[in-house]
């Protein structure tokens, strides 16, 4: 199967590979997988708690070229977006940008799901951390 | 209904004729193709026997001088029999076929990877990256230890799958809908786990192979 130039570019020069510190409270982590092929994708988003804007993103994907390219592309796509806007990103955007063939559409679905999972994880932490509207107290010591 | 091209007896869809035993090659499910009951627990020896017996009876070599219709039937029946054998002899493939047979897809609503499995995947892949960077005896030993761990996890998942199969076989379609849904979810979960572990095991093998070749 022939990969598009954009897939090859993202595969050879993946953007934003790596991880953020697990302990960083502003980071949401989404781990998703495609059980048909065994690919696993981790997407981390650093989200500003005040503006709720995604300031940075990292990914690690173990899978085929299309899965790596899809996750690399979404790290660029989500940066600077408000989380509610990022939640509306559809896999079809990824399919079009990377010119994915029908057999690789599930890779783009995986990347879309990773965004939702990462934001969901961040929201869960922040709602747990701030059950009331009161300002957070310093938790030193 | 279908008509046998050899003895022209009309009968329900079948791989081989109930009357003369010649190939018909009608499209039947993979259990029926092997003449096995629709049960998930399969005795490997019974499967082998069924496959070899049927294979001999319908093999295209036996029908070289027969009519075009009979030769076609032999080819269709042989292709279906081979697919049935390859699918049903592998428990994970059999489980996936069971989902398909009941209108389920492994990937539907099933993209979250359990945390402990994700941790195993990422930690193992990090060890493999270290081995790629530096082929030290320590890194090699770490990768081999991971392979053992993944192999053990695969064995455990295989047992879980066998238990799920046994529950289907015990009360099959008579189960209430709610319980059915839970059992399908459980089947999907264990098949997914096997898929992730199998991919991981393959990646470790490749990396160890590369390290050995270097």
């Amino acid at each position: 199967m022939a990969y598009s130039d954009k897939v090859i570019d993202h595969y050879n020069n993946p953007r934003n590979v790596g991880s953020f510190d697990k302990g960083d409270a502003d980071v949401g982590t989404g781990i998703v997988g495609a059980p048909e092929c065994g690919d696993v994708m981790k997407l981390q988003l650093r989200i500003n708690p005040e503006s709720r804007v995604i300031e940075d993103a990292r990914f690690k994907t173990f899978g085929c070229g299309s899965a790596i390219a899809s996750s690399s592309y979404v790290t660029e796509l989500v940066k600077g977006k408000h989380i509610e806007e990022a939640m509306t990103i559809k896999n079809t955007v990824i399919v079009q940008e990377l010119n994915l063939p029908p057999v690789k559409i599930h890779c783009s679905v995986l990347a879309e799901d990773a965004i939702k999972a990462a934001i969901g994880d961040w929201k869960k932490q922040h709602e747990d951390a701030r059950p009331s509207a009161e300002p957070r107290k310093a938790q030193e010591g | 209904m279908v008509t046998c091209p050899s003895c022209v007896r009309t009968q329900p869809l079948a791989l081989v004729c109930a009357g003369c035993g010649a190939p018909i090659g009608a499209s039947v499910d993979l259990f029926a193709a092997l003449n096995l009951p629709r049960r998930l627990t399969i005795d490997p020896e019974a499967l082998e026997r069924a496959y070899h017996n049927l294979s001999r009876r319908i093999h295209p070599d036996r029908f070289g001088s027969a009519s075009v219709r009979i030769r076609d039937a032999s080819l269709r029946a042989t292709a279906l029999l081979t697919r049935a054998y390859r699918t049903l002899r592998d428990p994970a493939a059999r489980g996936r076929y069971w989902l398909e047979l009941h209108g389920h897809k492994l990937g539907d609503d099933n993209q979250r990877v359990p945390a402990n499995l994700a941790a195993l995947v990422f930690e193992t892949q990090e060890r493999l990256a270290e081995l790629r960077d530096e082929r030290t005896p320590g890194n090699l030993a770490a990768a081999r230890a991971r392979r053992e761990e993944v192999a053990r996890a695969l064995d455990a998942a295989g047992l879980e799958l066998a238990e799920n199969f046994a529950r289907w076989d015990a009360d099959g379609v008579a189960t209430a809908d709610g319980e059915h849904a839970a059992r399908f979810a459980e089947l999907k979960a264990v098949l997914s786990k096997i898929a992730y572990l199998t991919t991981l095991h393959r990646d470790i093998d490749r990396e160890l192979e590369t390290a050995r070749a270097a």
Side-chain angles (χ1 to χ4, degrees), chain B residues 46-163:
Chain B
L47 179 76
E48 292 288 327
R49 268 198 310 276
Y51 172 65
H52 290 294
N53 285 338
L54 279 163
S55 186
R56 267 197 299 276
R57 273 160 58 186
I58 63 174
H59 199 279
D61 285 356
R62 289 190 55 188
F63 303 96
S65 55
S67 72
V68 172
R69 285 187 63 208
I70 295 173
R71 273 184 292 163
D72 277 355
S74 157
L75 286 172
R76 276 198 312 276
T78 301
L80 183 63
L81 181 68
T82 306
R83 186 161 85 86
Y85 172 66
R86 288 190 181 151
T87 305
L88 297 187
R89 84 177 153 175
D90 170 20
R94 194 190 310 153
R96 284 196 298 274
Y97 177 66
W98 190 255
L99 291 178
E100 187 189 315
L101 205 54
H102 294 88
H104 289 258
K105 274 191 185 153
L106 185 57
D108 285 353
D109 287 325
N110 182 28
Q111 299 205 309
R112 298 298 156 95
V113 183
N116 55 353
L117 185 55
L120 178 64
V121 169
F122 285 102
E123 282 163 21
T124 303
Q125 294 285 2
E126 272 157 29
R127 295 294 87 75
L128 295 182
E130 286 166 9
L131 176 63
R132 255 194 307 280
D133 292 342
E134 279 190 287
R135 294 212 171 87
T136 61
N139 285 348
L140 263 174
R144 288 205 186 95
R146 286 285 167 165
R147 181 166 63 179
E148 295 289 308
E149 190 182 340
V150 173
R152 277 196 302 275
L154 266 172
D155 287 345
L159 290 177
E160 262 182 77
L161 186 62
E163 283 166 15

Side-chain angles (χ1 to χ4, degrees), chain A residues 99-115:
Chain A
N99 229 328
L100 296 179
V103 292
K104 292 294 179 180
I105 285 175
H106 70 273
C107 299
S108 67
V109 175
L110 201 58
E112 178 195 322
D113 211 58
I115 301 172

Side-chain angles (χ1 to χ4, degrees), chain A residues 37-40 62, chain B residues 117 120-125 128 131 142-157 192-210 212:
Chain A
C37 52
D39 289 1
V40 180
F62 300 103
Chain B
L117 185 55
L120 178 64
V121 169
F122 285 102
E123 282 163 21
T124 303
Q125 294 285 2
L128 295 182
L131 176 63
R144 288 205 186 95
R146 286 285 167 165
R147 181 166 63 179
E148 295 289 308
E149 190 182 340
V150 173
R152 277 196 302 275
L154 266 172
D155 287 345
S192 304
K193 193 194 294 183
I194 290 172
Y196 295 126
L197 290 169
T198 303
T199 300
L200 192 57
H201 198 267
R202 185 201 64 199
D203 288 352
I204 300 171
D205 274 347
R206 278 187 187 163
E207 214 56 64
L208 286 172
E209 188 62 37
T210 310
R212 192 164 46 222

Side-chain angles (χ1 to χ4, degrees), chain B residues 169-197:
Chain B
D169 293 340
D171 49 20
V173 287
T175 325
D177 278 354
E179 205 169 314
H180 249 167
R183 197 172 292 160
F184 274 121
E186 185 188 82
L187 179 56
K188 280 186 184 182
V190 64
L191 288 172
S192 304
K193 193 194 294 183
I194 290 172
Y196 295 126
L197 290 169

Side-chain angles (χ1 to χ4, degrees), chain A residues 41 65-75 94 98 100 107-108 111:
Chain A
M41 182 181 288
S66 298
I68 290 169
S70 295
S71 35
S72 170
Y73 173 58
V74 299
T75 59
I94 304 165
L98 299 175
L100 296 179
C107 299
S108 67

